Amino acid sequence: MQGDPLPVKVNKLSSTKTQLPYDYYFLSYCKPSKIVNSAENLGEVLRGDRIENSVYNFKMREEQTCQVVCRVKLDAEAAKNFKEKIDDEYRVNMILDNLPVAVIRQRRDGQTKVYEHGFRVGFKGKYTGTNEEKYFIHNHLIFKVMYHKDLETDFARIVGFEVTPHSIAHEYKEWKDKDTQLATCTKNILQSGTPPQEVDTDKEIVFTYDVTFEESDTKWASRWDTYLLMNDDQIHWFSIINSLMIVLFLSGMVAMIMMRTLYRDIANYNQLETQDEAQEETGWKLVHGDAFRPPVNSSLLCVYVGTGVQVFGMTLVTMMFALLGFLSPSNRGGLMTAMVLLWVFMGAFAGYSSARLYKMFKGTEWKKTTLKTAFMFPGILFSVFFVLNALIWEEKSSGAVPFGTMVALMMLWFGISVPLVFVGSYLGFKKPPIEDPVKTNKIPRQIPEQAWYMKPIFSILIGGILPFGAVFIELFFILTSIWLNQFYYIFGFLFIVFLILVITCAEITIVLCYFQLCSEDYHWWWRAYLTAGSSALYLFLYSIFYFFTKLEITKLVSGILYFGYMLIGSYAFFVLTGTIGFYACLWFVRKIYSSVKID
């Protein structure tokens, strides 16, 4: 309704140059009498969002001009903070009715409008005739609120929130708080030619704002569209077609291998072997008595496979939620919260799959394996996260996760995840073991000398290239959305790419595993895991390339942060892809050996 109060909330100050968010009131902006922190979910806290009330209060469809907010006298500390934040190109984020404030940026075609999130704290410039660089602050904000009016009633809903920041050195005769008459606002319109407001010790800054309302045709349901405008749909289609090519090529190879081996088995079965085929009777059939010999460090392999199942489950369900539209950008922190909770609840699957595999390897110490599954991966993640958090905390940034949230995360891990891993493990270990299709010989067979291209290092490194190639274009967009404060919402594309990744990992591992068995090398367990998992190495190398080409990070702490988080990401990717490759290979080896007749 007209005249309804519209409180503007303030979010963190963010910068793509430092990646360290700060609380809005870290700078000497006008403060309300009591600062109230709005209720946040877990994801918002982890992202460093701090949403608080502000001194900006509008009334619906009532325009205001040159409204005085307060005046602030800068001491040396405040001036230094403002200058640092202007240097690092920090942006102020505000929220009205759950819409973030945006500055309009013209697109090259000049037709559609594109939004930039938040407005700059200030800018650097020189006075005419001098060479000295000065700092200026945006102290006058011209807000524009767009609303969509209901045709029948007088009700209206907010569909847009834009701002044009200005820097004006305000002048006044006497100070009367909100009723001060500013000489720089004659006839309530900004006078042209007023000098900008400089930031320096002992300078006084008067904060003011205008607010205008404009009726808009945008419906409430589609008010996020301008924020999410992507200018590169073609690139996504190109990425998917490129990935599909890889998949078709690999599928062809897998089909060929299956046809050849199975055809040859049928031929042998019918006693039709010619001389050539008899000579070809080397290869994978010869190692049938060793193919299912448990690998070295078999319990560690079980731990990694279990963890991979956990990551896979989390990724899959998160994407399902995102596809159904539960995790849209308007639900701030929703994605993060969903991932943490799903990770915790997928613990049962981790325990189950690691125990099943461990029993297949005829292992006896299942409790030890279960403990490792419950603690190893989260433990490594948590330690890296803890170190990074200490660094952020040292910088006084709001991105540091508060102690209470840390405790809550520990509770989720120890109180829910660990017990679930044990429950899963218990159920998995109670089931009868998976039978091998062929018997394992007592004495291990000798492995002949391998060609250079069949050596483990070479084939593992080759294996990671294709899965990485299938996702790397989409990866660019994901990195941009994380590190350059863009919104990522094209989960449909992401889901297709994820499916392509799964297929590629499975197929490349099967192909390389077949070649390995043909050259009579039966150590395939770990090799299968590492073949697909090595794509994580390429992911990390790509993140280094991205850091130097796309980001303008200069601070050491910010650099450590970036690589710390990318390391965590690559590690999770390693576990995910490795597990997919391992299960594909396990299925393939069981399939081919159960199809041969062994005398």
Side-chain angles (χ1 to χ4, degrees):
M1 289 290 283
Q2 186 152 354
D4 281 351
L6 298 175
V8 176
K9 295 193 167 150
V10 288
N11 198 344
K12 59 189 176 187
L13 306 170
S14 56
S15 153
T16 51
K17 269 181 85 166
T18 66
Q19 300 294 345
L20 294 166
Y22 280 89
D23 191 83
Y24 176 79
Y25 295 114
F26 179 81
L27 295 178
S28 306
Y29 282 119
C30 304
K31 293 185 176 60
S33 47
K34 184 166 180 262
I35 297 176
V36 184
N37 202 336
S38 304
E40 297 162 290
N41 56 38
L42 183 67
E44 280 183 321
V45 179
L46 293 177
R47 281 180 35 186
D49 286 1
R50 301 283 177 270
I51 297 161
E52 293 151 334
N53 57 336
S54 76
V55 284
Y56 297 99
N57 285 303
F58 309 155
K59 285 193 166 57
M60 186 68 174
R61 305 209 325 256
E62 289 183 12
E63 306 206 339
Q64 297 168 320
T65 16
C66 232
Q67 200 59 34
V68 178
V69 185
C70 75
R71 60 177 175 175
V72 173
K73 190 148 190 187
L74 299 181
D75 54 20
E77 173 78 5
K80 178 172 134 309
N81 284 340
F82 267 121
K83 285 180 179 175
E84 276 177 6
K85 297 294 169 266
I86 292 172
D87 260 335
D88 287 333
E89 296 174 18
Y90 269 85
R91 305 183 84 90
V92 179
N93 295 294
M94 294 184 171
I95 298 169
L96 176 68
D97 189 33
N98 205 21
L99 275 181
V101 76
V103 178
I104 298 178
R105 182 186 70 208
Q106 277 304 302
R107 249 177 81 168
R108 291 185 197 91
D109 55 12
Q111 301 305 309
T112 41
K113 65 175 177 188
V114 183
Y115 277 166
E116 280 187 356
H117 304 297
F119 61 90
R120 290 270 177 97
V121 172
F123 57 94
K124 289 189 284 195
K126 295 172 184 162
Y127 284 121
T128 346
T130 64
N131 265 341
E132 195 189 351
E133 251 196 337
K134 298 279 192 193
Y135 292 84
F136 301 104
I137 181 175
H138 286 137
N139 61 331
H140 180 80
L141 305 173
I142 301 177
F143 293 107
K144 184 159 118 194
V145 179
M146 276 82 85
Y147 62 91
H148 180 77
K149 206 166 166 197
D150 192 19
L151 295 172
E152 284 97 53
T153 62
D154 193 30
F155 284 109
R157 303 186 82 166
I158 295 172
V159 293
F161 184 33
E162 294 170 4
V163 68
T164 318
H166 290 282
S167 180
I168 298 163
H170 283 304
E171 295 163 13
Y172 57 88
K173 288 209 174 61
E174 90 180 282
W175 183 256
K176 298 180 185 162
D177 287 343
K178 305 251 164 152
D179 304 325
T180 309
Q181 290 300 311
L182 297 176
T184 33
C185 270
T186 48
K187 297 204 186 99
N188 285 351
I189 292 174
L190 292 175
Q191 270 189 332
S192 53
T194 42
Q197 175 66 57
E198 199 187 315
V199 174
D200 222 335
T201 314
D202 294 338
K203 282 263 196 267
E204 185 181 75
I205 302 176
V206 178
F207 287 95
T208 53
Y209 68 92
D210 296 0
V211 56
T212 58
F213 286 87
E214 184 184 288
E215 195 164 347
S216 158
D217 299 332
T218 314
K219 296 268 195 304
W220 192 77
S222 52
R223 63 183 193 159
W224 274 86
D225 290 3
T226 324
Y227 290 89
L228 304 179
L229 197 63
M230 284 298 262
N231 4 10
D232 20 40
D233 280 345
Q234 285 95 359
I235 298 181
H236 290 281
W237 284 118
F238 167 71
S239 131
I240 282 171
I241 289 164
N242 152 42
S243 312
L244 281 171
M245 286 312 184
I246 295 178
V247 168
L248 283 172
F249 164 70
L250 279 173
S251 304
M253 286 198 61
V254 172
M256 220 172 71
I257 289 173
M258 297 301 260
M259 292 303 292
R260 259 189 74 194
T261 50
L262 297 178
Y263 167 75
R264 202 185 311 153
D265 292 329
I266 295 162
N268 288 350
Y269 184 56
N270 295 339
Q271 297 299 314
L272 291 176
E273 47 181 78
T274 54
Q275 203 53 40
D276 296 346
E277 281 184 64
Q279 281 169 355
E280 275 192 337
E281 189 30 63
T282 55
W284 58 270
K285 275 191 196 173
L286 292 179
V287 291
H288 66 82
D290 297 277
F292 292 95
R293 191 179 296 287
V296 286
N297 289 340
S298 58
S299 86
L300 188 67
L301 182 65
C302 299
V303 170
Y304 267 102
V305 169
T307 307
V309 170
Q310 194 172 1
V311 178
F312 181 78
M314 175 192 79
T315 316
L316 193 67
V317 180
T318 308
M319 283 198 194
M320 293 293 186
F321 276 153
L323 275 179
L324 297 172
F326 289 132
L327 305 175
S328 82
S330 55
N331 174 10
R332 260 185 317 277
L335 183 67
M336 203 75 150
T337 315
M339 283 171 74
V340 172
L341 293 177
L342 283 168
W343 164 263
V344 168
F345 288 114
M346 290 290 164
F349 294 99
Y352 180 80
S353 42
S354 74
R356 288 285 286 161
L357 195 61
Y358 191 59
K359 194 158 184 186
M360 187 176 110
F361 290 149
K362 310 199 172 30
T364 47
E365 304 179 323
W366 70 278
K367 290 191 178 102
K368 215 175 186 176
T369 309
T370 309
L371 270 176
K372 279 193 208 159
T373 309
F375 289 110
M376 192 161 143
F377 181 78
I380 292 174
L381 245 61
F382 204 79
S383 353
V384 176
F385 181 64
F386 195 80
V387 173
L388 294 178
N389 201 52
L391 286 173
I392 304 175
W393 189 73
E394 184 59 37
E395 291 286 318
K396 300 191 174 42
S397 159
S398 73
V401 174
F403 182 70
T405 312
M406 276 288 198
V407 173
L409 286 173
M410 294 292 262
M411 294 292 286
L412 282 174
W413 177 18
F414 287 107
I416 302 177
S417 187
V418 174
L420 280 176
V421 174
F422 268 92
V423 169
S425 205
Y426 175 72
L427 293 173
F429 212 76
K430 265 180 67 172
K431 295 193 88 156
I434 304 165
E435 292 295 328
D436 296 337
V438 286
K439 286 197 172 65
T440 303
N441 295 343
K442 294 270 188 301
I443 301 158
R445 179 193 171 93
Q446 233 187 339
I447 297 173
E449 182 63 32
Q450 298 292 315
W452 63 270
Y453 52 83
M454 286 312 294
K455 292 266 195 299
I457 298 281
F458 184 76
S459 70
I460 285 171
L461 287 177
I462 289 297
I465 293 175
L466 286 174
F468 171 74
V471 296
F472 96 98
I473 297 180
E474 206 54 38
L475 192 68
F476 170 79
F477 292 103
I478 297 171
L479 288 182
T480 305
S481 75
I482 298 173
W483 299 110
L484 294 177
N485 285 356
Q486 306 286 327
F487 283 123
Y488 187 88
Y489 67 101
I490 16 181
F491 292 108
F493 280 120
L494 189 60
F495 191 66
I496 299 174
V497 171
F498 178 66
L499 291 179
I500 290 174
L501 173 72
V502 172
I503 297 168
T504 320
C505 285
E507 292 182 343
I508 187 74
T509 316
I510 289 175
V511 171
L512 290 173
C513 180
Y514 174 73
F515 289 147
Q516 182 190 347
L517 290 170
C518 281
S519 62
E520 299 178 36
D521 177 357
Y522 51 82
H523 293 315
W524 62 272
W525 302 95
W526 272 108
R527 177 102 63 106
Y529 195 96
L530 295 171
T531 299
S534 67
S535 54
L537 174 69
Y538 296 103
L539 172 74
F540 191 70
L541 292 175
Y542 178 72
S543 76
I544 297 176
F545 167 76
Y546 184 86
F547 179 81
F548 287 112
T549 54
K550 289 283 179 288
L551 300 179
E552 302 170 352
I553 292 180
T554 43
K555 281 181 104 163
L556 177 66
V557 173
S558 311
I560 295 174
L561 264 184
Y562 173 81
F563 286 112
Y565 283 131
M566 288 318 292
L567 199 63
I568 289 182
S570 306
Y571 185 41
F573 193 71
F574 163 73
V575 174
L576 170 72
T577 48
T579 302
I580 296 167
F582 174 81
Y583 271 121
C585 200
L586 181 63
W587 169 83
F588 170 75
V589 174
R590 291 179 64 81
K591 194 96 188 138
I592 60 172
Y593 282 110
S594 55
S595 70
V596 271
K597 288 260 188 294
I598 307 288
D599 306 328

